[in-house]
Amino acid sequence: MSETARLILENQEIELPVITGTENEKALDISKLRASTGYITLDPGFKNTGSTQSAITFLDGEKGILRYRGYAIEELAENASFLEVAYLLIYGELPNTDELEYFTNSITHHTLLHENMKRFFDAFPIGAHPMGMLSSMISSLSTFYPESQEQNRSVTDIERTIHRIIAKLPTLAAQAYKHNKGLPIMYPKNELSYEGNFLHMMFGVPTEKYDVNPIVEKALNKLLILHADHEQNCSTATVRVVGSSQANLYSSISAGIAALWGPLHGGANQAVIEMLEQIKNDGGDLDKWINKAKDKTDSFRLMGFGHRVYKNFDPRATIIKKAADEVLEALGVEDPILNIAKQLEAVALSDEYFVQRGLYPNVDFYSGIIYRALGIPTDMFTVMFALGRLPGWIGQWKEMIEHSAPIGRPRQVYIGTTSRPFVPLNKR
Ligand code: ACO
């Protein structure tokens, strides 16, 4: 017999079906609540609200578990390539050799941008934030590929759009960086790996041959995998809501990039480095900054600490912390910021305030330190996050389309003024 929950409302008893996930996660199905009672639920920030049933990513915030399609993040980060993980997230299974070759080949051959897009870049001011440029440029791709917006688009159209976005995002990201610095752009090189090609377009210059450093390439592969999906987070929920109106994939991803930019989400990696720099330049008094973070009259928060779902530890942070040590050692980089980060983590983790609230370093606490060691400038950090998160956004969008999800449209409880007569201007 299927499980139900009973809700008593104004002496009326209502049965709510209980939905159980494959990992035994429980949810109350309230989809018919308003129709049968007139009530809605109120849940600011959707802290208790499941917006969908999804077969892509499982995470257990209490136990610190993260799996893509059933595979542990630790195993994927250690053994897989980013494109393999992208395939897994989007299509549901790890690719065999032929499938991966086809996928990689298709992506490699869609990396070029229409030459007209150069004129868009030219119009942005030098120094423009790469996230602002990236979000606009991705959205503008829909104007070059109008089939992405057609309502009767074929599976092949959708497939091509998916491959195009994965192929073009690194080109756009690298060009955004070059434009930000006022440097000439580099065209993609098809013989390089996905990560190698990005590094070539970022750091290569037209007059010299650029050799991809395998340590940097491998570290980038790992970072992209760790960021590839995180179920219904702010940017993914945005991609799904925008896509639910049947807007095209380019526009949906552009909205996801905009949502990711904020410092409470993907922008945290930039904010962490800026915070650590500030602490260093201020003399490194950690207690002072910990106290500021605890002070409710002070808006300062310890960036890179806390997470909406992880309340014990973020498994990605554990992998990244280890990788940060390895990468800095392999590249021979000594960064005083890493020591400050480690000390700050130790002080915070032994402080009652942080322990009580389950505030631990999240994925972004150490990712910025690796990006710095790889030579990636601070305002590109969130762009790196977007490159990693792209397959997750696409997989979630595709799942939503395949489930024929209804348009995302929350309700509200109105608390404004009730009906009143209009007052003409001369009587106000
Ligand atoms: N520093 C100090 N106090 C904090 C922090 C922090 N970083 N994070 C949460 N708190 C406190 C809050 O003040 C609150 O305290 P209270 O109960 O006394 O009022 C309590 O911990 C709970 O915090 P909420 O903001 O309610 O938690 P929520 O789940 O809404 O927010 C968030 C999660 C946004 C990540 C938050 O922890 C934060 O702002 N962290 C810093 C920004 C950051 O690192 N973001 C990256 C997240 S990871 C990602 O997007 C990939």
Short mmCIF file of all heavy atoms in Angstrom, two decimals, residues 244 400 403-408:
data_model
loop_
_atom_site.label_atom_id
_atom_site.label_comp_id
_atom_site.label_asym_id
_atom_site.label_seq_id
_atom_site.Cartn_x
_atom_site.Cartn_y
_atom_site.Cartn_z
N SER A 244 11.54 26.07 -18.68
CA SER A 244 10.17 25.54 -18.58
C SER A 244 9.18 26.38 -19.37
O SER A 244 8.07 25.94 -19.67
CB SER A 244 9.73 25.45 -17.11
OG SER A 244 9.45 26.72 -16.59
N MET A 400 14.23 17.93 -17.90
CA MET A 400 12.98 18.68 -17.75
C MET A 400 12.13 18.61 -19.02
O MET A 400 10.92 18.40 -18.96
CB MET A 400 13.30 20.12 -17.41
CG MET A 400 12.09 20.98 -17.21
SD MET A 400 12.48 22.69 -17.41
CE MET A 400 12.97 22.75 -19.10
N HIS A 403 10.65 15.18 -19.42
CA HIS A 403 9.54 14.93 -18.47
C HIS A 403 8.33 15.82 -18.77
O HIS A 403 7.37 15.79 -18.01
CB HIS A 403 9.99 15.20 -17.04
CG HIS A 403 10.93 14.16 -16.50
ND1 HIS A 403 11.41 14.18 -15.21
CD2 HIS A 403 11.49 13.08 -17.07
CE1 HIS A 403 12.22 13.15 -15.02
NE2 HIS A 403 12.29 12.47 -16.14
N SER A 404 8.41 16.63 -19.83
CA SER A 404 7.35 17.60 -20.14
C SER A 404 6.92 18.37 -18.90
O SER A 404 5.72 18.45 -18.56
CB SER A 404 6.12 16.89 -20.73
OG SER A 404 6.48 16.15 -21.84
N ALA A 405 7.91 18.95 -18.22
CA ALA A 405 7.62 19.66 -16.96
C ALA A 405 6.72 20.87 -17.23
O ALA A 405 6.87 21.54 -18.25
CB ALA A 405 8.94 20.12 -16.34
N PRO A 406 5.80 21.16 -16.31
CA PRO A 406 4.96 22.35 -16.49
C PRO A 406 5.79 23.62 -16.27
O PRO A 406 6.87 23.56 -15.68
CB PRO A 406 3.91 22.21 -15.38
CG PRO A 406 4.54 21.34 -14.36
CD PRO A 406 5.50 20.44 -15.08
N ILE A 407 5.29 24.74 -16.75
CA ILE A 407 6.02 25.99 -16.55
C ILE A 407 6.23 26.26 -15.05
O ILE A 407 5.32 26.00 -14.24
CB ILE A 407 5.29 27.17 -17.25
CG1 ILE A 407 6.14 28.44 -17.19
CG2 ILE A 407 3.90 27.41 -16.66
CD1 ILE A 407 5.66 29.54 -18.14
N GLY A 408 7.41 26.72 -14.68
CA GLY A 408 7.71 27.01 -13.28
C GLY A 408 7.06 28.32 -12.88
O GLY A 408 7.33 29.36 -13.48
#
